[in-house]
Amino acid sequence: MSFWLDSMVESGADELLPRPALPGDREFDVAIVGGGLTGLWSAYYLLKRSPGLRVAVLEKEIAGFGASGRNGGWCSALFPASTAALERRHGLDAALAMRRAMIDTVDEVGRVAQAEGIDCDFAKSGTLLFARSKPQLARATAEVAEAEHYGVDQVRWLSSPQDVSKPGPAGTMATILEPACARLHPGKLVRGLARVVESLGGTVFEETEVLAWEQGRVTTNRGTVTAGSIVIATEGFGASFRQTHRRVLPLYSLMIATEPLPDAVWDELGIDHGHTFSDFRHLLIYGQRTADNRFAFGGRGARYHWGSALRAEYDRVPRVFEHLRRTLGELFPQVADAAVTHRWGGPIGVPRDWHAAVDHDAASGVIWAGGYVGDGLSTTNLAGRTIADLVTSADSELVELPWVNHRSRNWEPEPLRFIGANLGLLAMDIADLEERVTRRPSLAARIMSPLVGG
């Protein structure tokens, strides 16, 4: 179990007790497959727009069991595809519209949480991005330059090679601040949102496994749901279904959490409440200061499994957990001896071109949303609002955004998928080592960039 959900149990809350399962065949207006944030935000906005709508959320485990309850707690404006990549594919106006929508979404999550009484530790202080080598500094400089070029993201230098007075990880040469990001507790958000959906008249069926879907019908192990609109919100677990098996690749991301640390330590580190942080290495890391003063710290590195297999034991890889603990100590030597109290992980959904999407088949009434590549904590909210507009045929700016009806090509069949995915992960690890040795931008990263969203 993730720290987020475990902390809710430790506090004495009974919020993780499963809701009743589907009690047999039922009819609804909208059936949503998946009780994570995409599904719950979709239900929330549908019920806000059309209070009489009959909406059912179908979840195999409990709401928030998947990535929505296991992530790093970054409610950010990040989108898997960069602004430049969006411009190349969709044009400048569409790219800027997408960026503005993502930035607005961060505040929308905070607004709804406050309005609906969801105490999810939302604090918006931005993301600190540390450059700790010359190649990383070059990437930081390029990121600031791209933001200045497009004029939407307010990325700025917090410290530069000429001014390193600000605290930061060991070896930091410069720091940039991306203000459009909030720290939050994802377990409290997803479980709180499920309660709000029920208060609005929606029904959340837990311990109800979806077996298949087709136009107008969702088949589960508890009965059949008929509905005019069906929303598929399974993210990485979509690899388990025939229709979406090759649409997303389930890539595992793992995390650790430390014991709470004194305020004086955080002051020395220069990480305030509301800050999230990362650096510019190739094999992604991400972290935050939790509301109770822990490090919640994660990263990639767990391998892809043959046939897009999903198993509980893949959530826990001792080698990766040890790598995360060692990396945190290298970044912040002051906490190298801090006790690690929680270890967890799970799959994220990666489309072939690293481009999230909301795909609406108007003829069948089926909508698929996902492919967030780990940037889903806020993107799910934008997806939910967009899905609500599509289902209700609203004429809105959201349905004109370039990710609507974007279709990534399928991942290659095995063994090509297995070879390519794991080569990409290995290449990023090698790229970081190469840059530490040569102090030059990695050739391996440039060669393998098409496999990792470059």
Side-chain angles (χ1 to χ4, degrees), residues 58-410:
L58 305 167
E59 168 56 45
K60 180 180 178 181
E61 304 288 347
I62 63 170
F65 170 82
S68 296
R70 307 188 195 190
N71 60 74
W74 288 35
C75 184
S76 79
L78 290 172
F79 190 79
S82 69
T83 311
L86 289 169
E87 181 186 14
R88 288 193 298 269
R89 183 179 289 272
H90 305 290
L92 177 60
D93 289 345
L96 297 183
M98 193 74 218
R99 290 304 312 141
R100 293 188 186 100
M102 286 301 306
I103 292 169
D104 291 343
T105 294
V106 177
D107 293 325
E108 171 70 2
V109 171
R111 185 195 69 76
V112 173
Q114 182 176 24
E116 301 293 355
I118 302 174
D119 181 9
C120 61
D121 302 335
F122 185 96
K124 184 182 175 186
S125 296
T127 298
L128 302 173
L129 293 169
F130 306 112
R132 302 177 60 243
S133 67
K134 287 185 177 179
Q136 289 192 24
L137 180 59
R139 291 192 285 277
T141 301
E143 182 151 329
V144 174
E146 180 174 288
E148 291 175 344
H149 171 73
Y150 289 108
V152 177
D153 292 272
Q154 302 302 306
V155 179
R156 62 182 176 85
W157 293 105
L158 199 60
S159 67
S160 67
Q162 291 74 40
D163 174 22
V164 290
S165 58
K166 299 286 185 181
T172 296
M173 300 177 68
T175 305
I176 66 174
L177 175 69
E178 293 190 348
C181 184
R183 181 276 327 261
L184 58 74
H185 186 302
K188 293 179 180 179
L189 175 64
V190 68
R191 298 299 290 177
L193 188 58
R195 290 197 310 273
V196 173
V197 165
E198 290 178 313
S199 74
L200 294 173
T203 306
V204 180
F205 296 112
E206 297 181 328
E207 296 189 330
T208 301
E209 181 180 3
V210 170
L211 305 175
W213 66 82
E214 58 185 323
Q215 181 175 348
R217 180 189 300 266
V218 178
T219 304
T220 83
N221 66 336
R222 305 281 190 164
T224 298
V225 174
T226 56
S229 297
I230 297 171
V231 177
I232 308 303
T234 51
E235 193 50 357
F237 290 95
S240 301
F241 296 95
R242 174 183 57 81
Q243 296 100 317
T244 51
H245 177 64
R246 287 173 53 196
R247 185 162 195 168
V248 291
L249 182 143
L251 190 64
Y252 278 77
S253 192
L254 274 56
M255 293 193 69
I256 61 174
T258 70
E259 62 185 332
L261 303 169
D263 285 337
V265 172
W266 291 103
D267 292 343
E268 182 182 354
L269 299 179
I271 299 177
D272 298 331
H273 277 297
H275 273 153
T276 62
F277 67 89
S278 184
D279 65 13
F280 286 92
R281 72 185 66 204
H282 295 285
L283 194 62
L284 178 70
I285 60 165
Y286 51 92
Q288 66 146 285
R289 176 184 179 177
T290 67
D292 64 347
N293 274 357
R294 301 171 188 263
F295 270 107
F297 185 70
R300 308 284 162 80
R303 71 180 183 87
Y304 163 79
H305 298 275
W306 181 274
S308 295
L310 296 163
R311 296 179 184 172
E313 58 263 35
Y314 298 160
D315 297 349
R316 304 183 67 82
V317 184
R319 171 186 59 82
V320 178
F321 290 139
E322 176 56 26
H323 169 74
L324 291 173
R325 187 202 63 76
R326 188 172 59 251
T327 300
L328 182 62
E330 291 170 353
L331 288 168
F332 303 104
Q334 302 94 320
V335 301
D337 295 327
V340 173
T341 60
H342 295 77
R343 299 168 178 84
W344 73 97
I348 60 175
V350 183
R352 184 61 180 83
D353 60 356
W354 292 52
H355 190 308
V358 176
D359 185 15
H360 181 210
D361 184 345
S364 69
V366 176
I367 301 177
W368 176 92
Y372 308 123
V373 198
D375 294 330
L377 191 50
S378 52
T379 316
T380 49
N381 175 276
L382 182 59
R385 286 182 283 144
T386 304
I387 288 167
D389 286 350
L390 290 168
V391 170
T392 59
S393 301
D395 183 15
S396 73
E397 293 181 356
L398 295 183
V399 301
E400 301 298 326
L401 290 173
W403 74 327
V404 175
N405 291 330
H406 169 81
R407 192 66 188 258
S408 307
R409 67 183 177 93
N410 283 340

